[in-house]
Amino acid sequence: MTESNEFKKGITRRSFVGGAAAIAALGALGGCSAPLSSNNTGGVGTSAANHQVLSGVCRGGCATHCGIDVHVRDGQVVRTTAAELCDPRYNRICSKGMTHAARVYSSDRLQYPMRRIGERGEGKFERISWEEAISEIADKWTSYAEEYGPASILIATNSGNCGMVKASVSTRLQNVLGMGMLNGCYDQALSYAANKVTGSSAYAQQNETADWPNAKTFICWGADTTISTPQNMHFILEAKDNGAKYIVIDPMFNANAGKADWYIGVRPSTDGALAFGALNHLMEQGWEDEEFIRMSTEAPLFVKEDGQFLRMSDIGVAPTETQMNMMTGQEEPVDPPVVWDEATDAPASLAVAQKPSLASRNEVNGIKVSLVYDMVKEAISKYPVDTASELSGVSAEDIRELARTYAQDGPISTFIMFGPDHYLNGHYNYWPMYMLSAFTGNIAKSGAGLGYTMSMGSFFVDGTLANMPVDKAGNPAQGAAMINMPKGTVSEVLETHMFAGEPYELKSVYITGMNPVTTSSNRNDVVDWMKKLDFVVISEMVMSETAMYADILLPVCHWFETTDFGSDLGSTPFFMLQEQCLEPQFESKSDFEITKLIADAMGYGDYFDFTIEEYAEKMLDTDAAKAIGVSWENLKNQKSIKHFPGNKEFISFEGGVFPTSTGKFKLYEDNPTPWYYVGQDMDFTKEVLPYWEPPRYVSVDSPERQGDYPFYLFSQHMRTRTHTQWWDVDYIKEYEPEPVVQINPLDAADLGISEGDTVRLYNDFGDVTLIAAINAGLPRNMLASKRSFHSFEYKDGHLANLSCSDYNQMIPNSAFNDVAVAIEKVRA
């Protein structure tokens, strides 16, 4: 017998789970029904002898990640508190970390596998068994693989669960089955730029956050730390307590700016122009750190007329060493770039020169060349202070003071996050921003960190388990398909049956750990292709908006209901154990077990013949992990182990050594390489030197802003949600109960809009209807709204309906904030 369930907008959405689990043990969370699972028999009044405290990790995509003590009484999670980590400076959690019990017993939990019986997105499902669900998935995917190739199936996974085992085993499935990847297209401008400039895209970018109090000046540039990552904020406040000056650079005056000693209001995505202007004044005043530029950047290198670095082989010195190319696995000759060594007054290899020269030269050994330093100075010269001021909206006086601050008020830590990222010109902002720190020596030493903060767990684990899997007999898997498909390309692929100029059939997608219908740009396009795909498989913990588009919907257990460990994509620099704190609720299963079931049903069980603990043990069985005392057994015993042994804080790029191709801070790119290719036109002249161009839609001079859509729309993070996670925790929704759009009081007066009015935002891509809120912290012609709501929480439409599917030529990055709109009051 099957059961039919319908998931609808509004009050009926809770009827979907048909009497879902409860939080009776929490008492305060009224309105939730009693638990259904047979093992949920305990209560608040049970004795302390039945109380356990187990190790957990809060591991959503918030770029922090915190250790949690999970309090379990009679088989129920009753509360969560901050864990006692091996470094007590990190013993903190936010409101979300304290409300996991409500997620465990959410009435929106998926209870059993289901098959769609209505139209996609309608939310009509029937209950089926796990055997039926896995059998249907295996049959469909096997058929697609045989007829169209395994690349006809894409896997899409992101930061819904940043557990290390979960992430690894999902990638392993992709490589075993030969699936392609549906690119999440989130936050890639900063990752791309950081990788390009420093050689490190997501790991060891910043100094350890515990080093931040050593800064004399702390600059928060494009990050709303108070709201987004409060775990990090207390280190900034400690720096202030130590006497540091706190500077915030942001388009709007928000809670974070309210804590600043100096707030610099910058026009959206003109950060690169602002940084160029400060660099221009810096160079004019002779304030640059010549020693750091000489020894730790590419400034002394030469470029030939063909645009390539001058190398030792060009001046007759053949390579004598080889190195492993990590992309090809092949040994390649080492052909170092050339500098002029002032110590010998002759050309020399960069690796051995004692004093690389910054003096201009037109030729070296008869070869015409240009000095990188001269080329960079020319790029900077295009942005005198007055020009930068006109572009950025920051006064010329403030730009000069910013330059002086970088030059004279160090050490300066610059915390850079995704504020400038979410535009079509996103990555062009970061290179000039990073240069401002490098040219003043405010990087690679205590109190002088630069970039964004991510932990380094992936450096220590065995990546071959995920990327080069073998079966029990040692036979290698077929490997993932060379398909990196941006979400904005799917509709085109389904219509043309082509990808990157080649015939291609896309039939199915497996979405795990992400909610793209709600979190993507151009939501209307995502909904369109989700409806057109042949077969959609989704694993989820709750009935998210994306889950409603599944053909087969698989219930995933909560993070506390399985074993894992956290160590990556967060600023807390630890390996942290996630113990299984209780049995999975209802019929839910872990991502690990779901992956094994699918692989086994498709005939690949030999690649997954291990338990979750055996897999975790293999992941941590590396020389790098052993060097810092990490093993699975040690982690089970100690609960948390820091990435860096000893009491000294980790200093990123210490000594001015960077993991770039030259070992130096990059100032010139002789081989620009895009992170994706779908046949787009390429203009590589934008990518070789520091460069900036205005954002596409929100520039004050764009046709849209000058025409029908004069307002710029900024989407904010929420205090009570990590992306869309925690949307189902009712009692913290009281703080942010519904979507609102903030508007400057003068703009509101001009439009006849009052606090609490219903307003409509619209442009050529779509529209949304929501409530207006007056906020004098916004500049004129700017609107701000929090972007983590589902469509059933809006009065009509969705915030993501207003953004485009366009991508920059180098990176498939969602331009959430490159949005121009009009606003109107909705008449009753």
Side-chain angles (χ1 to χ4, degrees):
M1 177 179 177
T2 61
E3 297 178 16
S4 176
N5 294 279
E6 184 170 359
F7 185 78
K8 291 184 177 179
K9 175 178 177 179
I11 193 169
T12 60
R13 64 186 176 87
R14 294 197 175 276
S15 67
F16 163 74
V17 290
I23 19 184
L26 293 175
L29 304 183
C32 295
S33 56
L36 298 181
S37 54
S38 60
N39 63 336
N40 291 337
T41 58
V44 175
T46 54
S47 69
N50 296 322
H51 188 104
Q52 290 180 288
V53 180
L54 300 168
S55 176
V57 188
C58 191
R59 53 186 187 272
C62 72
T64 302
H65 299 173
C66 300
I68 291 181
D69 280 343
V70 184
H71 298 254
V72 178
R73 187 175 299 156
D74 288 338
Q76 289 184 317
V77 175
V78 295
R79 67 179 178 130
T80 50
T81 56
E84 291 291 332
L85 298 171
C86 54
D87 184 339
R89 292 176 294 182
Y90 292 90
N91 292 354
R92 286 172 171 81
I93 57 175
C94 70
S95 60
K96 292 171 285 186
M98 291 188 289
T99 57
H100 270 289
R103 297 192 74 205
V104 172
Y105 302 113
S106 167
S107 60
D108 290 289
R109 282 284 300 266
L110 298 177
Q111 298 183 21
Y112 37 73
M114 289 180 287
R115 179 191 294 120
R116 175 174 62 85
I117 57 174
E119 295 296 319
R120 244 192 229 136
E122 194 176 5
K124 292 182 178 179
F125 296 91
E126 64 178 359
R127 181 176 184 171
I128 58 176
S129 68
W130 272 102
E131 290 77 12
E132 290 176 286
I134 297 300
S135 176
E136 185 166 340
I137 293 168
D139 289 346
K140 289 271 192 182
W141 284 1
T142 299
S143 175
Y144 294 143
E146 290 175 350
E147 186 170 357
Y148 305 105
S152 62
I153 310 160
L154 302 181
I155 186 170
T157 183
N158 213 265
S159 61
N161 179 357
C162 293
M164 296 292 283
V165 171
K166 191 276 177 192
S168 179
V169 81
S170 293
T171 303
R172 185 179 178 92
L173 180 70
Q174 180 186 5
N175 280 284
V176 167
L177 300 189
M179 307 163 86
M181 179 181 71
L182 180 62
N183 194 311
C185 305
Y186 306 126
D187 305 335
Q188 295 195 14
L190 177 51
S191 295
Y192 175 84
N195 184 69
K196 180 176 186 175
V197 177
T198 69
S200 179
S201 62
Y203 311 105
Q205 261 288 305
Q206 253 285 0
N207 293 354
E208 178 186 352
T209 48
D211 177 65
W212 291 3
N214 296 323
K216 184 178 177 182
T217 301
F218 195 95
I219 298 179
C220 187
W221 199 333
D224 188 1
T225 315
T226 303
I227 300 298
S228 299
T229 55
Q231 168 66 280
N232 293 331
M233 189 65 202
H234 80 86
F235 291 112
I236 299 175
L237 297 179
E238 287 178 22
K240 286 195 67 177
D241 289 343
N242 291 343
K245 183 178 183 179
Y246 185 37
I247 301 172
V248 170
I249 304 175
D250 198 284
M252 69 177 291
F253 190 90
N254 51 27
N256 189 42
K259 299 184 181 300
D261 299 294
W262 181 22
Y263 164 66
I264 302 174
V266 62
R267 286 192 183 124
S269 204
T270 62
D271 307 83
L274 170 60
F276 265 136
L279 281 162
N280 193 295
H281 185 65
L282 186 87
M283 303 297 283
E284 286 180 348
Q285 300 302 311
W287 289 339
E288 65 271 24
D289 186 332
E290 184 176 295
E291 183 65 15
F292 188 89
I293 293 171
R294 179 195 307 276
M295 300 305 299
S296 296
T297 80
E298 293 180 344
L301 303 186
F302 296 105
V303 176
K304 299 180 295 183
E305 290 183 300
D306 63 1
Q308 298 297 299
F309 281 128
L310 178 71
R311 297 187 178 274
M312 293 300 290
S313 61
D314 295 317
I315 61 173
V317 181
T320 59
E321 300 179 5
T322 63
Q323 65 182 5
M324 176 71 73
N325 184 318
M326 300 307 294
M327 298 297 294
T328 65
Q330 303 296 316
E331 290 287 334
E332 294 182 350
V334 177
D335 192 5
V338 174
V339 297
W340 193 270
D341 190 356
E342 292 182 1
T344 59
D345 196 29
S349 163
L350 174 64
V352 301
Q354 299 175 52
K355 189 177 181 181
S357 175
L358 295 177
S360 302
R361 291 182 182 275
N362 296 323
E363 67 174 30
V364 174
N365 286 19
I367 302 172
K368 291 186 178 180
V369 294
S370 299
L371 183 71
V372 169
Y373 196 35
D374 290 340
M375 300 169 78
V376 170
K377 286 191 287 187
E378 183 179 356
I380 293 171
S381 70
K382 297 176 182 177
Y383 293 88
V385 169
D386 288 343
T387 299
S389 176
E390 183 178 352
L391 291 167
S392 68
V394 178
S395 71
E397 179 183 0
D398 282 349
I399 293 175
R400 294 187 181 98
E401 176 59 17
L402 182 63
R404 188 209 63 77
T405 298
Y406 266 100
Q408 299 176 7
D409 291 352
I412 296 175
S413 280
T414 305
F415 181 43
I416 294 173
M417 283 295 282
F418 300 118
D421 174 286
H422 298 155
Y423 304 83
L424 290 172
N425 71 327
H427 79 280
Y428 299 131
N429 287 300
Y430 290 112
W431 207 347
M433 291 164 67
Y434 273 52
M435 281 174 57
L436 195 50
S437 288
F439 272 36
T440 55
N442 282 297
I443 184 174
K445 59 188 179 185
S446 179
L450 169 64
Y452 66 129
T453 303
M454 296 291 184
S455 57
M456 307 196 310
S458 289
F459 285 153
F460 301 99
V461 302
D462 186 352
T464 64
L465 293 172
N467 296 304
M468 292 182 282
V470 296
D471 64 11
K472 289 189 295 185
N475 300 309
Q478 56 190 316
M482 298 300 290
I483 299 291
N484 176 6
M485 187 178 297
K487 293 194 302 295
T489 307
V490 176
S491 292
E492 181 180 344
V493 169
L494 290 173
E495 180 179 347
T496 64
H497 307 279
M498 301 284 289
F499 177 73
E502 299 291 335
Y504 176 72
E505 295 293 335
L506 173 58
K507 293 296 178 181
S508 180
V509 64
Y510 176 38
I511 299 175
T512 169
M514 64 187 300
N515 185 10
V517 173
T518 301
T519 59
S520 298
S521 57
N522 198 340
R523 176 183 173 278
N524 287 325
D525 178 64
V526 176
V527 167
D528 181 64
W529 61 252
M530 286 283 282
K531 290 181 176 180
K532 291 178 179 177
L533 281 164
D534 278 21
F535 188 55
V536 177
V537 181
I538 296 172
S539 60
E540 248 286 15
M541 192 179 81
V542 293
M543 182 53 89
S544 67
E545 193 168 1
T546 297
M548 294 169 64
Y549 289 82
D551 292 302
I552 297 294
L553 183 54
L554 306 175
V556 177
C557 66
H558 185 273
W559 304 341
F560 297 169
E561 296 167 359
T562 185
T563 301
D564 209 321
F565 65 98
S567 187
D568 223 0
L569 299 180
S571 60
T572 310
F574 302 96
F575 289 91
M576 294 176 287
L577 176 66
Q578 175 64 67
E579 295 180 284
Q580 183 173 351
C581 302
L582 67 162
E583 291 298 316
Q585 302 289 291
F586 316 111
E587 295 181 19
S588 66
K589 296 182 184 295
S590 69
D591 294 284
F592 182 87
E593 188 174 357
I594 292 170
T595 300
K596 287 189 64 172
L597 288 172
I598 292 172
D600 188 60
M602 295 185 67
Y604 296 99
D606 277 357
Y607 288 93
F608 292 86
D609 188 22
F610 35 68
T611 67
I612 194 167
E613 289 216 13
E614 289 170 341
Y615 193 77
E617 185 176 9
K618 289 176 181 290
M619 289 182 70
L620 293 174
D621 186 18
T622 67
D623 291 340
K626 291 173 185 174
I628 60 170
V630 175
S631 68
W632 182 241
E633 191 63 29
N634 287 348
L635 186 57
K636 287 196 296 181
N637 290 330
Q638 299 176 42
K639 312 304 182 187
S640 67
I641 303 174
K642 200 169 182 183
H643 292 157
F644 331 116
N647 297 321
K648 182 178 180 294
E649 290 86 11
F650 176 80
I651 306 302
S652 198
F653 316 120
E654 192 165 21
V657 178
F658 297 86
T660 60
S661 58
T662 60
K664 306 295 181 180
F665 182 96
K666 187 159 281 296
L667 294 175
Y668 183 85
E669 178 58 74
D670 63 343
N671 185 31
T673 305
W675 272 14
Y676 78 117
Y677 183 68
V678 293
Q680 72 270 27
D681 293 332
M682 307 295 298
D683 179 2
F684 288 123
T685 61
K686 298 179 180 182
E687 313 300 334
V688 296
L689 284 162
Y691 167 84
W692 181 82
E693 67 184 24
R696 166 62 183 86
Y697 292 100
V698 304
S699 169
V700 292
D701 297 323
S702 73
E704 289 76 16
R705 293 289 303 279
Q706 291 293 313
D708 295 331
Y709 308 117
F711 284 86
Y712 154 58
L713 176 62
F714 181 77
S715 61
Q716 300 170 285
H717 285 297
M718 295 176 66
R719 186 187 298 275
T720 57
R721 301 185 187 184
T722 297
H723 307 303
T724 56
Q725 292 182 101
W726 280 269
W727 68 270
D728 56 324
V729 179
D730 285 343
Y731 67 89
I732 60 171
K733 284 203 298 192
E734 295 177 9
Y735 182 80
E736 296 171 302
E738 67 176 324
V740 301
V741 60
Q742 302 165 62
I743 183 171
N744 178 281
L746 297 178
D747 289 330
D750 288 346
L751 295 169
I753 294 171
S754 301
E755 181 87 15
D757 282 348
T758 299
V759 296
R760 175 175 171 262
L761 280 56
Y762 62 94
N763 59 19
D764 291 340
F765 298 109
D767 68 307
V768 64
T769 301
L770 66 176
I771 298 298
I774 310 301
N775 184 350
L778 273 72
R780 296 293 303 267
N781 299 310
M782 176 179 174
L783 306 172
S785 187
K786 295 170 182 176
R787 70 168 184 263
S788 296
F789 291 97
H790 289 90
S791 63
F792 50 73
E793 298 179 274
Y794 288 94
K795 294 187 177 301
D796 194 26
H798 194 282
L799 196 73
N801 290 348
L802 299 163
S803 50
C804 67
S805 292
D806 302 342
Y807 300 123
N808 183 275
Q809 64 175 3
M810 301 300 284
I811 43 173
N813 189 49
S814 295
F816 299 114
N817 291 338
D818 210 339
V819 178
V821 299
I823 180 173
E824 63 181 8
K825 182 175 179 179
V826 177
R827 305 296 175 182

